[in-house]
Amino acid sequence: MTPDITSTGPGLAASVGVQPPPAPSAPTPPVPEAIVEPSPVVPVPAAAPAEPPSTENVDLDPAALQFFLSPRYAASSTSVQKNFSLSDDDRILLEDLDRLVLGGKTDLEGYLVALEEEFGSRLSEEQRDTMYAQLLAERFLPFGDRLKPNAMEVARAENLKLPPVSHYQIYVKPLTYSGAATEVASSAGFSLMGGPIRERLRELILSKAKGVRADVQVLDALTRSIDVGGLGLDRPTADKALAAMNDIISRANVMSEDEYANWLSDEARKKAAPVAPPVIAQDVPLSPDEAEIAAIQARMPKPGPSSELDKAIEATVQTLTYKPDDEYISKRLRNVISSRLRNVRSQMELKQLLMRDTKVGGMGMDATQAEGLAKQIEQAYLQFHETIAQEEKSKIDTQLEEQKRKIEDRRKREAEEHAKWFEDKIRTRKTGEAQKSQVVEDMRRVMGGQTSPVAPAHPVDAKEERVQTAKFGPLVPVTQPLQKKDVPTQVKVSPATIELAQKAPSRPSLDGMSYGGPQLVGLVGELKALSVAEFRRLSKNPQEAAMKIRQKIETLEQESFDKKVDGIRAFQESKLQGAYMALVGESFRTMKPVVALAEEKRKAGSDTLSPDEIAAIVALNSALHF
């Protein structure tokens, strides 16, 4: 039977920091019988061995206890027991060791030592490494840096390869709504793809946490197309996102960014030791540390609106008679005010937005309420719009100046790089010409000093000549025409060349000019001539084919920046890009995802792009910029 966690075996005791029981003291030397009279022997009880720490005394914090009692941990225990044929006692032992680690009684290094003592002789080396890696990944990786050393560091030190597990974190600090959006995307396995998608997911989490939306409404928004305000997820991914959203809201304290900032300030004040205000006497100056702190506090800006738009929105909200209690609706109202103050929406569009239902981005007001609120916002527009427009114009001017400076810096850098490249090219060409002239001069000198008019063959050339003779036969004079024109008899070729020339088909001619095979084109021409078939000929793997196209453009970039631009434009004009853009255009018209549309066409027999090819082209287009 597997020993219990409280057993006193030497391996497990050492792993959890328990000292072995002290050895019995040495016996007293015997005394001669003549001196000491015999006395009755009194039995002395043996010293009780030291007890190892029991898991009953291990206190877990709420987050660790919640994880320890969660279905995820139970599923991990069942999986480990089944994968490695462990007994129920082994499962209890592993759970007790986990509690010791999560309770801070031992670290992960001692945890692995205890596992080695227990399972080292029962499992093979490969099975032990696999089990240790699964335990670290499923039970301790979610705790991150709360464990010192953490699971990743211990796995790296022990050369253990952690298996892939679904994203799961233990939250001991509050989460902002944006942070919760990142966690939901990581758990469900999709990318936020920029600011708008992240903001929409943040609003969904906010509305779900506040009880504004039910699960069905959240699921509808997750699967709705991006063009109509959704996230465009497929149903399985949306189900995962909804499950992750509910799990995070139930386990973590999710709050707004302003609330999180206040929480951080409160935590900082709690950690700081209470200091009594200094009593400054007339003859006692401030210490250097106190003077530095006072100077820093004097330089710190007071919190307030950071721009004219923020100030105008805040002033407008204070003047409105409508004050929503819900934070979600309040933020939406601020966005509505901002859009009108910046003249993004007209007065009529503002009224329509105020009367639109809250489920589709509106405020849900009736006509009378919308009319009254629109008049108040319009008064704020007349008061603040000019100031906001001037501020926006100054920001744009600043950005334009910064962009011009960056463009000039880039042109200067590219000019310097091109000048260096041209200088290296000229130097290399001059060196090659000098070497060629030297070789010709040496050949003339050698030929001039010999009695024979022909210089001796180089050993390498003689070896190649023997190989060619063995492969094609000796050179013979030409007695038959190779093409329509006779070849002079003094020219010698191999019989194989004559046979190939006779079998070659005649070439079309026009006005006495013969035309051979395909005309050679540069890299720009190759990129412009790319079709779907040519793309597939580059490689069976679409990612490798896209990499080859990118390498062609990088080769053009080495020559000059203008060549790179020509190459990118040539690729954008190719039939391959045209096939992709045709799918994108049809996707917008039919409101179907591009990949789904391509699959539908392929099932119908059309030779269109596959999903892997579409992904490769999208990644290539993202990488090609100038």
Side-chain angles (χ1 to χ4, degrees), residues 197-216:
I197 303 299
R198 176 185 294 274
E199 186 63 26
R200 291 175 186 177
L201 182 57
R202 179 191 180 279
E203 291 184 1
L204 285 178
I205 296 173
L206 173 60
S207 61
K208 183 68 176 65
K210 297 292 185 180
V212 177
R213 281 190 175 97
D215 288 350
V216 177

Side-chain angles (χ1 to χ4, degrees), residues 400-416:
L400 289 176
E401 291 296 329
E402 182 67 17
Q403 191 67 21
K404 289 180 181 179
R405 185 187 63 80
K406 290 181 179 180
I407 292 174
E408 292 298 329
D409 293 343
R410 187 182 66 182
R411 288 178 177 175
K412 181 179 179 181
R413 183 176 64 255
E414 290 175 353
E416 293 175 353

Side-chain angles (χ1 to χ4, degrees), residues 35-353:
I35 300 175
V36 179
E37 295 181 358
S39 59
V41 179
V42 180
V44 179
E51 294 184 359
S54 172
T55 55
E56 297 179 358
N57 300 325
V58 177
D59 294 329
L60 301 180
D61 58 47
L65 182 60
Q66 186 181 23
F67 173 75
F68 194 77
L69 300 176
S70 65
R72 182 183 180 91
Y73 183 86
S76 174
S77 296
T78 304
S79 174
V80 171
Q81 183 178 10
K82 180 181 178 181
N83 292 343
F84 303 100
S85 303
L86 304 182
S87 64
D88 291 338
D89 291 336
D90 293 334
R91 176 173 178 169
I92 294 174
L93 172 65
L94 291 176
E95 292 177 355
D96 288 342
L97 287 175
D98 293 342
R99 290 190 64 181
L100 290 176
V101 175
L102 298 181
K105 300 298 183 181
T106 184
D107 57 11
L108 288 179
E109 294 175 345
Y111 175 80
L112 292 183
V113 172
L115 293 179
E116 188 69 21
E117 290 287 341
E118 180 64 28
F119 301 101
S121 59
R122 297 166 49 188
L123 301 175
S124 65
E125 182 178 358
E126 182 178 358
Q127 287 178 323
R128 294 198 306 270
D129 290 347
T130 304
M131 185 177 75
Y132 299 165
Q134 182 177 353
L135 291 172
L136 290 176
E138 294 179 352
R139 304 189 182 186
F140 302 110
L141 194 61
F143 286 87
D145 292 334
R146 289 186 61 192
L147 301 177
K148 300 293 184 180
N150 60 37
M152 190 65 70
E153 294 170 348
V154 173
R156 192 179 299 113
E158 298 294 334
N159 198 21
L160 297 175
K161 184 179 180 181
L162 298 182
V165 293
S166 58
H167 180 80
Y168 191 87
Q169 291 293 323
I170 304 299
Y171 306 110
V172 295
K173 294 182 179 180
L175 275 178
T176 63
Y177 292 118
S178 297
T182 301
E183 291 295 304
V184 169
S186 300
S187 300
F190 66 92
S191 173
L192 294 180
M193 299 180 296
I197 303 299
R198 176 185 294 274
E199 186 63 26
R200 291 175 186 177
L201 182 57
R202 179 191 180 279
E203 291 184 1
L204 285 178
I205 296 173
L206 173 60
S207 61
K208 183 68 176 65
K210 297 292 185 180
V212 177
R213 281 190 175 97
D215 288 350
V216 177
Q217 295 171 317
V218 173
L219 196 61
D220 175 69
L222 291 172
T223 55
R224 194 185 306 154
S225 175
I226 297 178
D227 300 332
V228 290
L231 271 71
L233 304 180
D234 54 18
R235 185 54 186 267
T237 307
D239 290 337
K240 292 180 182 178
L242 179 60
M245 192 181 302
N246 290 329
D247 176 63
I248 290 173
I249 292 175
S250 64
R251 292 190 297 112
N253 183 15
V254 187
M255 58 180 61
S256 66
E257 284 72 10
D258 294 337
E259 292 173 341
Y260 185 77
N262 296 333
W263 178 85
L264 284 179
S265 301
D266 295 340
E267 288 297 314
R269 284 195 293 269
K270 291 177 182 178
K271 291 181 179 180
V275 178
V279 179
I280 304 175
Q282 187 174 0
D283 55 346
V284 179
L286 289 175
S287 65
D289 293 340
E290 293 172 343
E292 183 178 0
I293 292 173
I296 293 174
Q297 290 177 346
R299 291 195 302 267
M300 290 178 61
K302 296 181 179 180
S306 57
S307 65
E308 294 296 332
L309 178 61
D310 295 335
K311 295 177 183 178
I313 294 174
E314 188 64 30
T316 305
V317 169
Q318 297 299 327
T319 60
L320 296 181
T321 56
Y322 174 70
K323 299 287 194 304
D325 297 331
D326 187 80
E327 179 186 357
Y328 180 71
I329 301 299
S330 177
K331 182 178 179 181
R332 182 177 294 179
L333 176 61
R334 290 175 179 269
N335 292 335
V336 171
I337 295 172
S338 173
S339 64
R340 179 56 187 144
L341 295 182
R342 291 180 288 118
N343 204 21
V344 176
R345 287 186 174 91
S346 64
Q347 190 173 3
M348 182 60 67
E349 292 172 338
L350 175 64
K351 293 179 182 178
Q352 294 175 353
L353 183 61

